[in-house]
């Protein structure tokens, strides 16, 4: 009689394994983060993110069309603005003719069905590299929220489908919802970075946008730990996500990804909205570096990590692997 139960029966071959597979991936599970820079016909590889580029709007549009044809249906866009446009107010962030606003318009014009989720945070526009306005040596929460509302409304006016606040200011989701509704953008959604941890995994991203905190001639926080979350905490992430849902978030995000899958599952169990997970730049860079040295099989570890993020509860995965993974999935 022993053993009565044989789990291996369901692992006998790939056909059986595919029949009982609990989690699947498709290109529509991915969102592609894209970096946009000034100029025309500009494409500059980011040294710490092999295969990822800062592109001018014309080349960004070309890439968007390619990934849409692969089945990817969402992009999360970021801009690298000129130093002479940065200050402590972030006012370039809501310039109707700014780089972000031009990019949104161009993408939606060229590929109307692509869902565009622009980043809402002031760090690309700040002379201090922080996600908000510096007052009295710290990031001023409520003054920053007022600036973020102007930024989000300008994104909606340009054609954004969702706004994606990554700043971690208290109460910003409610302020954004109120601001968007007052401006008539009731159908523009909010994908909130609800559980965004103060993580060392963001290094390559900050290289891409020059958005790390900077030395200054005034007192400024040396890091982002007064607003991004302590990575020792779990219950706090659930609380933050629930608050954002109460304030009107249509989706919530956990960031980073692989090192935080316990948080993904906790948040998934707690909320009744889709959960997005950001498979961040440092996680991407580690796989690239290890595979270049022959220590890991690039495609196998890429797909395993993406599957694990989905299994943990992600409805959508923002990942720099989106295009590569979509190509592989389309070949099967």
């Amino acid at each position: 009689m022993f053993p009565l139960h044989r789990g291996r029966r369901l692992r006998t071959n790939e056909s059986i394994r595919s029949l009982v597979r609990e989690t699947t991936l498709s290109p529509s599970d991915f969102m592609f983060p894209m970096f946009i820079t000034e100029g025309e016909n500009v494409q500059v590889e980011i040294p710490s993110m092999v295969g990822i580029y800062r592109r001018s709007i014309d080349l960004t549009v070309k890439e968007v069309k390619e990934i849409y044809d692969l089945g990817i249906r969402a992009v999360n866009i970021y801009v690298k603005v000129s130093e002479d446009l940065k200050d402590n107010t972030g006012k370039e962030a809501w310039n109707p003719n700014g780089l972000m606003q031009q990019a949104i318009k161009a993408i939606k014009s060229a590929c109307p069905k692509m869902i565009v989720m622009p980043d809402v945070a002031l760090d690309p526009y700040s002379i201090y590299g922080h996600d908000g306005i510096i007052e009295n040596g710290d990031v001023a929460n409520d003054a920053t929220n007022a600036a973020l509302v102007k930024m989000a409304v300008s994104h909606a006016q340009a054609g954004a489908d969702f706004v994606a606040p990554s700043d971690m200011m208290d109460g910003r989701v409610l302020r954004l919802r109120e601001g968007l509704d007052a401006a008539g953008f009731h159908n523009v959604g909010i994908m909130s970075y609800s559980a965004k941890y103060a993580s060392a995994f963001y290094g390559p991203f900050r290289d891409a946008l020059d958005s790390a905190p900077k030395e200054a001639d005034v007192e400024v926080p040396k890091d982002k730990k007064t607003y991004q979350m302590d990575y020792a905490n779990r219950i706090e992430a659930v609380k933050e996500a629930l608050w954002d849902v109460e304030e009107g978030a249509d989706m919530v995000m956990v960031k980073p990804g692989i090192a935080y899958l316990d948080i993904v599952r906790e948040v998934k169990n707690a909320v009744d909205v889709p959960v997005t997970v950001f498979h961040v730049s440092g996680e991407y860079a580690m796989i690239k570096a290890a595979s270049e040295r022959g220590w890991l099989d690039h495609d196998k570890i890429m797909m395993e990590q993406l599957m694990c993020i989905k299994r943990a509860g992600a409805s959508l995965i923002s990942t720099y692997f989106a295009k590569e993974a979509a190509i592989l999935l389309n070949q099967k």
Side-chain angles (χ1 to χ4, degrees), residues 6-78:
R6 293 182 181 268
R8 290 183 60 188
R9 293 187 191 114
L10 299 181
R11 305 176 202 139
T12 302
N13 55 53
E14 177 56 25
S15 293
I16 293 176
R17 292 191 295 271
S18 67
L19 286 176
V20 299
R21 189 161 289 140
E22 299 172 34
T23 307
T24 59
L25 279 173
S26 76
S28 62
D29 291 321
F30 305 139
M31 176 163 60
F32 194 26
M34 305 186 77
F35 300 112
I36 301 167
T37 191
E38 300 279 3
E40 188 173 344
N41 198 33
V42 176
Q43 178 168 288
V44 180
E45 188 172 40
I46 300 161
S48 54
M49 299 176 70
V50 175
I52 300 298
Y53 299 85
R54 287 190 293 264
R55 294 184 174 93
S56 52
I57 290 175
D58 55 327
L59 297 186
T60 297
V61 166
K62 181 181 177 182
E63 182 77 350
V64 166
K65 291 178 178 177
E66 289 181 12
I67 64 173
Y68 187 85
D69 288 342
L70 291 171
I72 295 167
R73 294 294 179 260
V75 292
N76 191 198
I77 58 176
Y78 304 84

Side-chain angles (χ1 to χ4, degrees), residues 6-261:
R6 293 182 181 268
R8 290 183 60 188
R9 293 187 191 114
L10 299 181
R11 305 176 202 139
T12 302
N13 55 53
E14 177 56 25
S15 293
I16 293 176
R17 292 191 295 271
S18 67
L19 286 176
V20 299
R21 189 161 289 140
E22 299 172 34
T23 307
T24 59
L25 279 173
S26 76
S28 62
D29 291 321
F30 305 139
M31 176 163 60
F32 194 26
M34 305 186 77
F35 300 112
I36 301 167
T37 191
E38 300 279 3
E40 188 173 344
N41 198 33
V42 176
Q43 178 168 288
V44 180
E45 188 172 40
I46 300 161
S48 54
M49 299 176 70
V50 175
I52 300 298
Y53 299 85
R54 287 190 293 264
R55 294 184 174 93
S56 52
I57 290 175
D58 55 327
L59 297 186
T60 297
V61 166
K62 181 181 177 182
E63 182 77 350
V64 166
K65 291 178 178 177
E66 289 181 12
I67 64 173
Y68 187 85
D69 288 342
L70 291 171
I72 295 167
R73 294 294 179 260
V75 292
N76 191 198
I77 58 176
Y78 304 84
V79 294
K80 187 179 190 306
V81 299
S82 303
E83 289 297 318
D84 59 357
L85 296 175
K86 297 181 180 182
D87 62 12
N88 187 37
T89 70
K91 63 181 182 295
E92 178 63 19
W94 54 90
N95 177 359
N97 297 312
L99 182 60
M100 178 67 88
Q101 290 76 6
Q102 291 181 50
I104 296 167
K105 290 176 184 177
I107 292 170
K108 292 302 292 185
S109 175
C111 192
K113 292 183 180 180
M114 180 64 83
I115 303 302
V116 178
M117 301 191 189
D119 179 55
V120 175
L122 296 185
D123 48 335
Y125 305 91
S126 168
I127 54 173
Y128 303 123
H130 276 285
D131 291 45
I133 296 168
I134 300 296
E135 292 180 0
N136 302 317
D138 197 6
V139 175
N141 193 91
D142 296 356
T144 296
N145 280 345
L148 297 176
V149 170
K150 290 187 279 189
M151 185 180 185
V153 169
S154 77
H155 292 176
Q157 290 169 338
D161 300 283
F162 286 77
V163 294
S166 63
D167 56 285
M168 288 298 288
M169 296 299 111
D170 292 334
R172 90 276 206 210
V173 172
L174 179 59
R175 291 290 174 259
L176 291 175
R177 188 67 272 157
E178 291 173 339
L180 289 166
D181 288 353
F185 295 108
H186 304 89
N187 290 328
V188 172
I190 299 174
M191 181 191 70
S192 176
Y193 290 56
S194 299
K196 181 179 180 180
Y197 285 85
S199 171
F201 281 108
Y202 305 151
F205 176 92
R206 291 175 180 168
D207 289 344
L209 291 185
D210 189 27
S211 61
K214 298 174 175 62
E215 296 288 335
D217 54 3
V218 298
E219 183 183 357
V220 297
K222 65 179 182 179
D223 53 38
K224 303 190 178 187
K225 292 181 179 179
T226 68
Y227 44 101
Q228 294 178 1
M229 286 177 44
D230 184 343
Y231 58 71
N233 293 354
R234 176 180 57 85
I235 295 172
E236 183 183 11
V238 176
K239 178 178 69 176
E240 290 279 355
L242 289 171
W243 281 348
D244 283 358
V245 173
E246 289 173 4
E247 291 180 15
D250 300 283
M251 303 183 196
V252 297
M253 177 185 277
V254 175
K255 180 181 180 182
I258 285 295
Y260 293 77
L261 294 187

